[in-house]
Amino acid sequence: DAKTTQPPSMDCAEGRAANLPCNHSTISGNEYVYWYRQIHSQGPQYIIHGLKNNETNEMASLIITEDRKSSTLILPHATLRDTAVYYCIVRARLIYNQGGKLIFGQGTELSVKP
Amino acid sequence: ETGVTQTPRHLVMGMTNKKSLKCEQHLGHNAMYWYKQSAKKPLELMFVYSLEERVENNSVPSRFSPECPNSSHLFLHLHTLQPEDSALYLCASSQEGGGSSYNEQFFGPGTRLTVL
């Protein structure tokens, strides 16, 4: 699975959009980009995933560059409850019966401030 | 509430004790996982079970022994642990295969383990 690079920390003002970047320059054609977040002392929570098209759900938007070497997670109106560590993970589509495998890096610690 | 529960939430044990961590998923998933998160470190995958068969053991010491009696339950048996094993132990489940592209993993709240 491809390696990802994220800034260690970011700040965002409450109510503003939080844009979290991720570099994955060695991504393969069959690898998806996943985003999870972990609020302090809780288990990680799935946010969104994508292959090559931009994606949006009720939590966030995911923008993947055309060459797929980087992506940005966008929280459109950050709240204090969005303060967490955000993980960008690249993973290939699984073979049945092999189980999943998420390789977590250090992630980006997002602090949303009033 | 993610549909994955873990007990106990906190555990303090001595190095000579034997204890077990329990995970239960109520989502009908076919894969379950144990992760370890030490202070200031990323999550580390320990074990993967798919359809109740262990498919991955990520070089974990034998003092950690997983058990998956059925698709809804996962245990982590602990014996003669070391203080450096103190960490947050997280269980997760997912539905793998079947043409699904995302295989989202749902995590439990974790067990905070302290080894004295």
Side-chain angles (χ1 to χ4, degrees):
Chain A
D1 292 329
K3 182 180 167 61
T4 63
T5 305
Q6 299 177 252
S9 64
M10 291 182 65
D11 289 342
C12 179
E14 189 178 19
R16 296 294 189 104
N19 298 288
L20 294 100
C22 179
N23 285 321
H24 32 79
S25 58
T26 59
I27 192 170
S28 301
N30 65 341
E31 289 180 318
Y32 290 75
V33 180
Y34 295 80
W35 283 84
Y36 282 75
R37 74 179 182 184
Q38 186 176 22
I39 295 169
H40 181 62
S41 293
Q42 296 182 22
Q45 175 191 23
Y46 166 83
I47 301 172
I48 199 168
H49 79 285
L51 181 62
K52 54 183 178 182
N53 298 319
N54 298 337
E55 303 287 345
T56 296
N57 63 20
E58 65 277 5
M59 289 182 69
S61 295
L62 175 61
I63 309 297
I64 302 174
T65 57
E66 192 167 343
D67 63 7
R68 305 208 322 122
K69 293 183 185 298
S70 65
S71 61
T72 301
L73 179 75
I74 301 172
L75 308 179
H77 306 286
T79 71
L80 299 179
R81 287 177 293 181
D82 292 321
T83 292
V85 179
Y86 287 76
Y87 299 99
C88 170
I89 300 166
V90 174
R91 195 187 76 174
R93 183 170 173 166
L94 297 175
I95 300 169
Y96 189 64
N97 287 354
Q98 294 301 305
K101 185 175 178 178
L102 294 177
I103 307 299
F104 287 82
Q106 296 282 3
T108 295
E109 187 163 6
L110 176 69
S111 296
V112 180
K113 300 182 185 299
Chain B
E1 183 62 49
T2 63
V4 181
T5 59
Q6 291 187 244
T7 54
R9 294 293 308 276
H10 300 271
L11 177 63
V12 179
M13 60 187 288
M15 289 191 284
T16 58
N17 291 158
K18 289 185 181 181
K19 296 285 184 184
S20 296
L21 309 185
K22 179 183 176 182
C23 175
E24 184 173 1
Q25 57 97 359
H26 311 272
L27 302 166
H29 288 164
N30 60 10
M32 296 187 78
Y33 313 82
W34 279 117
Y35 289 85
K36 174 185 177 183
Q37 188 172 34
S38 304
K40 306 292 184 185
K41 286 188 173 183
L43 280 83
E44 302 170 54
L45 179 66
M46 299 175 75
F47 300 104
V48 179
Y49 276 82
S50 177
L51 299 175
E52 301 156 42
E53 299 272 337
R54 192 191 312 178
V55 296
E56 180 134 359
N57 175 345
N58 214 21
S59 302
V60 179
S62 60
R63 58 185 182 269
F64 295 91
S65 175
E67 179 190 2
C68 187
N70 55 61
S71 60
S72 299
H73 293 88
L74 185 65
F75 294 89
L76 188 62
H77 303 300
L78 317 171
H79 64 97
T80 59
L81 294 193
Q82 305 297 311
E84 59 264 30
D85 297 321
S86 298
L88 181 67
Y89 288 85
L90 290 156
C91 173
S93 72
S94 67
Q95 183 63 27
E96 301 298 331
S100 171
S101 68
Y102 58 91
N103 311 113
E104 173 189 349
Q105 288 190 17
F106 292 79
F107 284 80
T111 295
R112 176 71 61 186
L113 173 67
T114 303
V115 182
L116 300 176

Coordinates of all heavy atoms in Angstrom, one line a residue, chain A residues 46-110:
Chain A
Y46 N -14.6 6.5 10.4 CA -14.5 6.7 9.0 C -15.2 8.0 8.6 O -16.2 8.4 9.1 CB -15.2 5.5 8.3 CG -15.5 5.7 6.9 CD1 -14.6 5.4 5.9 CD2 -16.8 6.1 6.4 CE1 -14.9 5.6 4.5 CE2 -17.1 6.3 5.1 CZ -16.1 6.0 4.1 OH -16.4 6.2 2.8
I47 N -14.5 8.7 7.6 CA -15.1 9.9 7.1 C -15.6 9.8 5.7 O -16.8 10.0 5.4 CB -14.1 11.1 7.2 CG1 -13.6 11.3 8.7 CG2 -14.7 12.4 6.7 CD1 -12.5 12.3 8.8
I48 N -14.7 9.4 4.8 CA -15.0 9.4 3.4 C -13.9 8.6 2.7 O -12.8 8.4 3.2 CB -15.1 10.9 2.9 CG1 -15.9 11.0 1.6 CG2 -13.7 11.5 2.8 CD1 -16.2 12.4 1.2
H49 N -14.2 8.2 1.5 CA -13.2 7.6 0.6 C -13.4 8.0 -0.8 O -14.5 8.4 -1.2 CB -13.2 6.1 0.8 CG -14.3 5.4 0.0 ND1 -15.6 5.4 0.5 CD2 -14.2 4.7 -1.1 CE1 -16.3 4.8 -0.4 NE2 -15.6 4.3 -1.4
G50 N -12.4 7.7 -1.7 CA -12.6 8.0 -3.1 C -11.5 7.3 -3.9 O -10.4 6.9 -3.4
L51 N -11.8 7.2 -5.2 CA -10.8 6.6 -6.1 C -10.1 7.6 -7.0 O -8.9 7.8 -7.0 CB -11.4 5.5 -6.9 CG -10.6 4.7 -7.9 CD1 -9.5 4.0 -7.2 CD2 -11.4 3.7 -8.8
K52 N -11.0 8.3 -7.8 CA -10.4 9.4 -8.6 C -11.4 10.5 -8.8 O -11.0 11.6 -9.1 CB -10.0 8.8 -10.0 CG -11.1 8.1 -10.7 CD -10.6 7.5 -12.0 CE -11.7 6.7 -12.8 NZ -11.2 6.1 -14.0
N53 N -12.6 10.3 -8.5 CA -13.6 11.4 -8.6 C -13.7 12.1 -7.2 O -13.5 11.5 -6.2 CB -15.0 10.9 -9.0 CG -14.9 10.3 -10.4 OD1 -14.3 10.8 -11.3 ND2 -15.6 9.2 -10.6
N54 N -14.1 13.4 -7.3 CA -14.4 14.1 -6.0 C -15.6 13.5 -5.4 O -16.5 13.0 -6.0 CB -14.6 15.6 -6.3 CG -13.3 16.2 -6.8 OD1 -12.2 15.7 -6.7 ND2 -13.5 17.3 -7.5
E55 N -15.6 13.4 -4.0 CA -16.7 12.8 -3.3 C -17.2 13.8 -2.2 O -16.4 14.5 -1.7 CB -16.2 11.5 -2.7 CG -15.7 10.4 -3.6 CD -16.8 9.8 -4.5 OE1 -18.0 9.9 -4.1 OE2 -16.4 9.1 -5.5
T56 N -18.5 13.7 -1.9 CA -19.0 14.5 -0.8 C -20.0 13.6 -0.1 O -20.8 12.9 -0.7 CB -19.7 15.7 -1.4 OG1 -18.8 16.6 -2.0 CG2 -20.4 16.5 -0.3
N57 N -20.0 13.8 1.3 CA -21.1 13.2 2.1 C -21.4 14.2 3.2 O -21.0 15.3 3.1 CB -20.6 11.8 2.6 CG -19.4 11.9 3.6 OD1 -19.1 13.0 4.1 ND2 -18.8 10.8 3.8
E58 N -22.2 13.7 4.1 CA -22.7 14.6 5.1 C -21.6 15.2 6.1 O -21.8 16.2 6.8 CB -23.8 14.0 6.0 CG -23.4 12.8 6.8 CD -23.3 11.5 6.0 OE1 -23.5 11.5 4.8 OE2 -23.0 10.5 6.7
M59 N -20.5 14.5 6.1 CA -19.4 15.0 6.9 C -18.4 15.9 6.3 O -17.9 16.8 6.9 CB -18.7 13.8 7.5 CG -19.4 13.0 8.5 SD -18.4 11.6 9.2 CE -17.2 12.5 10.1
A60 N -18.1 15.5 5.0 CA -16.9 16.2 4.4 C -17.0 16.1 2.9 O -17.8 15.3 2.3 CB -15.6 15.6 4.9
S61 N -16.0 16.7 2.2 CA -15.8 16.6 0.8 C -14.3 16.1 0.6 O -13.4 16.5 1.4 CB -16.0 17.9 0.0 OG -17.3 18.3 0.1
L62 N -14.1 15.3 -0.4 CA -12.8 14.8 -0.8 C -12.5 15.2 -2.2 O -13.2 14.9 -3.1 CB -12.7 13.3 -0.6 CG -11.4 12.6 -1.1 CD1 -10.2 13.1 -0.2 CD2 -11.6 11.1 -0.9
I63 N -11.4 16.0 -2.3 CA -10.9 16.4 -3.6 C -9.6 15.7 -4.0 O -8.7 15.8 -3.2 CB -10.7 18.0 -3.7 CG1 -11.9 18.7 -3.1 CG2 -10.3 18.4 -5.1 CD1 -13.1 18.6 -3.9
I64 N -9.7 14.9 -5.1 CA -8.5 14.2 -5.5 C -8.0 14.8 -6.8 O -8.7 15.0 -7.7 CB -8.8 12.7 -5.7 CG1 -9.4 12.1 -4.4 CG2 -7.6 11.9 -6.2 CD1 -9.9 10.7 -4.6
T65 N -6.7 15.1 -6.8 CA -6.1 15.7 -8.0 C -6.2 14.8 -9.2 O -6.3 13.5 -9.0 CB -4.7 16.2 -7.8 OG1 -3.9 15.0 -7.4 CG2 -4.5 17.2 -6.7
E66 N -6.1 15.3 -10.4 CA -6.3 14.5 -11.6 C -5.2 13.4 -11.7 O -5.5 12.3 -12.2 CB -6.2 15.4 -12.9 CG -6.7 14.7 -14.1 CD -7.0 15.7 -15.3 OE1 -7.1 16.9 -15.0 OE2 -7.0 15.2 -16.4
D67 N -4.0 13.7 -11.3 CA -3.0 12.7 -11.3 C -3.0 11.8 -10.1 O -2.2 10.8 -10.0 CB -1.6 13.3 -11.4 CG -1.2 14.2 -10.2 OD1 -2.0 14.2 -9.3 OD2 -0.2 14.9 -10.3
R68 N -3.9 12.0 -9.2 CA -4.2 11.2 -8.0 C -3.0 11.2 -7.0 O -2.9 10.4 -6.1 CB -4.6 9.8 -8.4 CG -5.7 9.7 -9.2 CD -6.6 8.4 -9.1 NE -5.8 7.2 -8.9 CZ -6.0 6.4 -7.8 NH1 -6.9 6.7 -6.9 NH2 -5.2 5.4 -7.7
K69 N -2.0 12.1 -7.2 CA -0.9 12.1 -6.3 C -1.1 12.8 -5.0 O -0.3 12.8 -4.1 CB 0.3 12.7 -7.0 CG 0.8 11.8 -8.2 CD 2.1 12.4 -8.8 CE 2.5 11.6 -10.1 NZ 2.9 10.2 -9.7
S70 N -2.2 13.5 -4.9 CA -2.6 14.2 -3.7 C -4.1 14.4 -3.6 O -4.8 14.3 -4.5 CB -1.9 15.6 -3.6 OG -2.4 16.5 -4.6
S71 N -4.5 14.7 -2.3 CA -5.9 14.9 -2.1 C -6.1 15.9 -1.0 O -5.1 16.2 -0.2 CB -6.6 13.6 -1.8 OG -6.1 13.0 -0.6
T72 N -7.3 16.4 -0.8 CA -7.6 17.4 0.2 C -9.0 17.0 0.8 O -9.9 16.8 0.1 CB -7.7 18.8 -0.3 OG1 -6.4 19.2 -0.9 CG2 -8.0 19.8 0.8
L73 N -9.0 16.9 2.1 CA -10.2 16.7 2.8 C -10.8 18.0 3.3 O -10.0 18.8 3.9 CB -10.0 15.8 4.1 CG -11.3 15.5 4.9 CD1 -12.2 14.5 4.2 CD2 -10.9 15.1 6.3
I74 N -12.0 18.3 3.0 CA -12.6 19.6 3.3 C -13.7 19.4 4.3 O -14.7 18.7 4.0 CB -13.1 20.3 2.1 CG1 -12.0 20.6 1.1 CG2 -13.7 21.7 2.5 CD1 -12.4 21.1 -0.3
L75 N -13.6 20.0 5.5 CA -14.7 20.1 6.4 C -15.3 21.5 6.2 O -14.7 22.5 6.6 CB -14.2 20.0 7.9 CG -13.4 18.8 8.2 CD1 -13.0 18.8 9.6 CD2 -14.1 17.5 7.8
P76 N -16.5 21.7 5.6 CA -16.9 23.0 5.1 C -17.2 24.0 6.2 O -16.9 25.2 6.0 CB -18.2 22.7 4.4 CG -18.6 21.3 4.9 CD -17.4 20.6 5.3
H77 N -17.7 23.6 7.4 CA -17.9 24.6 8.4 C -17.4 23.9 9.7 O -18.2 23.3 10.4 CB -19.4 24.9 8.5 CG -20.0 25.4 7.3 ND1 -19.7 26.7 6.8 CD2 -20.8 24.8 6.4 CE1 -20.3 26.8 5.6 NE2 -21.0 25.7 5.3
A78 N -16.1 24.1 10.0 CA -15.6 23.3 11.2 C -16.2 23.8 12.5 O -16.4 25.0 12.7 CB -14.1 23.5 11.2
T79 N -16.4 22.9 13.4 CA -16.9 23.2 14.7 C -15.8 22.7 15.7 O -14.9 21.9 15.4 CB -18.2 22.5 15.0 OG1 -18.0 21.1 15.1 CG2 -19.2 22.7 13.9
L80 N -16.0 23.1 17.0 CA -15.1 22.6 18.0 C -15.0 21.1 18.1 O -14.0 20.5 18.5 CB -15.5 23.3 19.4 CG -15.5 24.8 19.4 CD1 -15.9 25.2 20.8 CD2 -14.1 25.4 19.1
R81 N -16.1 20.4 17.8 CA -16.2 19.0 17.9 C -15.4 18.3 16.8 O -15.2 17.1 16.8 CB -17.6 18.5 17.9 CG -18.4 18.8 19.2 CD -19.8 18.3 19.1 NE -20.6 19.2 18.2 CZ -21.9 19.0 17.9 NH1 -22.5 18.0 18.5 NH2 -22.5 19.8 17.1
D82 N -15.0 19.1 15.8 CA -14.1 18.5 14.7 C -12.6 18.5 15.1 O -11.8 18.0 14.3 CB -14.3 19.3 13.4 CG -15.7 19.2 12.8 OD1 -16.2 18.1 12.9 OD2 -16.2 20.2 12.3
T83 N -12.3 19.0 16.3 CA -10.9 18.9 16.8 C -10.6 17.4 17.0 O -11.2 16.7 17.7 CB -10.8 19.6 18.1 OG1 -10.9 21.0 17.9 CG2 -9.4 19.4 18.7
A84 N -9.6 16.9 16.2 CA -9.2 15.5 16.2 C -7.9 15.3 15.4 O -7.4 16.3 14.8 CB -10.4 14.7 15.5
V85 N -7.5 14.1 15.4 CA -6.4 13.7 14.5 C -7.0 13.1 13.2 O -7.8 12.2 13.3 CB -5.4 12.7 15.1 CG1 -4.3 12.3 14.1 CG2 -4.8 13.3 16.4
Y86 N -6.6 13.6 12.1 CA -7.2 13.1 10.8 C -6.1 12.3 10.0 O -5.0 12.8 9.8 CB -7.6 14.3 10.0 CG -8.9 15.0 10.5 CD1 -8.8 15.8 11.6 CD2 -10.1 14.7 9.9 CE1 -10.0 16.4 12.2 CE2 -11.3 15.3 10.5 CZ -11.2 16.1 11.6 OH -12.3 16.6 12.1
Y87 N -6.6 11.1 9.6 CA -5.7 10.2 9.0 C -6.1 10.0 7.5 O -7.2 9.7 7.2 CB -5.7 8.8 9.7 CG -5.3 8.8 11.1 CD1 -6.2 8.8 12.1 CD2 -3.9 8.8 11.4 CE1 -5.8 8.8 13.4 CE2 -3.5 8.7 12.8 CZ -4.5 8.8 13.8 OH -4.1 8.7 15.1
C88 N -5.1 10.1 6.6 CA -5.2 9.8 5.2 C -4.6 8.5 5.0 O -3.4 8.3 5.3 CB -4.6 11.0 4.4 SG -4.4 10.6 2.7
I89 N -5.3 7.6 4.4 CA -4.8 6.2 4.2 C -5.1 5.8 2.8 O -6.2 6.0 2.3 CB -5.5 5.2 5.2 CG1 -5.2 5.6 6.6 CG2 -5.0 3.8 4.9 CD1 -6.1 4.9 7.6
V90 N -4.1 5.2 2.2 CA -4.3 4.6 0.8 C -4.3 3.1 0.9 O -3.4 2.5 1.5 CB -3.1 5.2 -0.1 CG1 -3.2 4.5 -1.5 CG2 -3.2 6.7 -0.2
R91 N -5.3 2.5 0.2 CA -5.4 1.1 0.3 C -6.0 0.5 -0.9 O -6.9 1.1 -1.4 CB -6.2 0.7 1.5 CG -6.1 -0.7 2.0 CD -7.1 -1.1 3.0 NE -8.5 -1.2 2.5 CZ -9.5 -1.6 3.2 NH1 -9.3 -1.9 4.5 NH2 -10.7 -1.7 2.7
A92 N -5.5 -0.7 -1.3 CA -6.0 -1.3 -2.5 C -7.4 -2.0 -2.2 O -7.7 -2.3 -1.1 CB -5.0 -2.3 -3.1
R93 N -8.1 -2.2 -3.2 CA -9.4 -2.9 -3.1 C -9.0 -4.3 -2.7 O -8.0 -4.9 -3.1 CB -10.1 -3.0 -4.4 CG -11.4 -3.7 -4.4 CD -12.2 -3.4 -5.7 NE -13.4 -4.2 -5.7 CZ -14.3 -4.0 -6.6 NH1 -14.2 -3.1 -7.5 NH2 -15.4 -4.8 -6.6
L94 N -9.8 -4.9 -1.8 CA -9.4 -6.1 -1.1 C -9.8 -7.3 -1.9 O -10.7 -7.4 -2.6 CB -10.1 -6.2 0.2 CG -9.6 -5.1 1.2 CD1 -10.4 -5.2 2.5 CD2 -8.2 -5.2 1.5
I95 N -9.0 -8.4 -1.7 CA -9.3 -9.7 -2.2 C -10.2 -10.3 -1.1 O -10.0 -10.3 0.1 CB -8.0 -10.6 -2.3 CG1 -7.1 -9.9 -3.3 CG2 -8.4 -12.0 -2.7 CD1 -5.7 -10.6 -3.4
Y96 N -11.3 -10.9 -1.5 CA -12.2 -11.5 -0.6 C -11.5 -12.6 0.3 O -10.7 -13.3 -0.1 CB -13.4 -12.2 -1.4 CG -14.5 -12.7 -0.5 CD1 -15.3 -11.7 0.2 CD2 -14.8 -14.0 -0.4 CE1 -16.3 -12.1 1.0 CE2 -15.9 -14.4 0.4 CZ -16.6 -13.5 1.1 OH -17.6 -13.9 1.9
N97 N -11.9 -12.6 1.5 CA -11.4 -13.5 2.5 C -10.0 -13.1 3.0 O -9.4 -13.9 3.8 CB -11.3 -15.0 2.0 CG -12.7 -15.6 2.0 OD1 -13.7 -15.0 2.4 ND2 -12.8 -16.8 1.4
Q98 N -9.5 -12.0 2.6 CA -8.2 -11.6 3.1 C -8.3 -10.6 4.3 O -7.3 -10.3 4.9 CB -7.4 -11.0 2.0 CG -7.0 -12.0 0.9 CD -6.2 -13.1 1.5 OE1 -5.2 -13.0 2.1 NE2 -6.7 -14.3 1.3
G99 N -9.4 -10.1 4.5 CA -9.6 -9.1 5.6 C -9.0 -7.8 5.2 O -8.2 -7.7 4.2
G100 N -9.4 -6.7 5.9 CA -8.9 -5.4 5.5 C -7.6 -5.1 6.2 O -7.2 -5.8 7.1
K101 N -6.9 -4.0 5.9 CA -5.6 -3.7 6.5 C -5.5 -2.2 6.4 O -5.2 -1.7 5.3 CB -4.5 -4.4 5.8 CG -3.1 -4.2 6.5 CD -2.1 -5.1 5.8 CE -0.7 -4.9 6.4 NZ 0.3 -5.8 5.7
L102 N -5.7 -1.4 7.4 CA -5.5 0.0 7.4 C -4.1 0.3 8.1 O -3.9 -0.1 9.2 CB -6.6 0.7 8.2 CG -8.0 0.6 7.6 CD1 -9.0 1.3 8.5 CD2 -8.0 1.3 6.2
I103 N -3.2 1.0 7.3 CA -1.9 1.4 7.9 C -2.0 2.9 8.2 O -2.1 3.7 7.3 CB -0.8 1.2 6.9 CG1 -0.8 -0.3 6.3 CG2 0.5 1.5 7.5 CD1 -0.6 -1.3 7.4
F104 N -2.1 3.1 9.5 CA -2.2 4.5 10.0 C -0.8 5.2 10.1 O 0.1 4.6 10.7 CB -2.9 4.5 11.4 CG -4.4 4.2 11.3 CD1 -4.8 2.9 11.3 CD2 -5.3 5.2 11.3 CE1 -6.2 2.6 11.3 CE2 -6.7 5.0 11.3 CZ -7.1 3.7 11.3
G105 N -0.7 6.4 9.6 CA 0.5 7.2 9.9 C 0.2 8.1 11.1 O -0.6 7.8 11.9
Q106 N 1.0 9.2 11.2 CA 0.9 10.1 12.3 C -0.4 11.0 12.2 O -0.8 11.5 13.2 CB 2.1 11.0 12.4 CG 3.4 10.2 12.7 CD 3.5 9.8 14.2 OE1 2.6 10.0 15.0 NE2 4.6 9.2 14.5
G107 N -0.8 11.2 11.0 CA -2.0 12.0 10.8 C -1.8 13.5 11.0 O -0.6 13.9 11.3
T108 N -2.8 14.3 10.8 CA -2.8 15.7 11.1 C -3.7 16.0 12.3 O -4.8 15.7 12.3 CB -3.3 16.5 9.9 OG1 -2.5 16.3 8.7 CG2 -3.4 18.0 10.2
E109 N -3.1 16.7 13.3 CA -3.8 17.1 14.4 C -4.5 18.4 14.1 O -3.8 19.5 14.1 CB -2.9 17.2 15.7 CG -3.7 17.4 16.9 CD -2.9 17.1 18.2 OE1 -1.7 16.8 18.0 OE2 -3.4 17.2 19.3
L110 N -5.8 18.4 13.9 CA -6.6 19.6 13.6 C -7.1 20.2 14.9 O -7.8 19.5 15.7 CB -7.7 19.3 12.7 CG -8.6 20.5 12.4 CD1 -7.9 21.6 11.6 CD2 -9.9 20.0 11.6

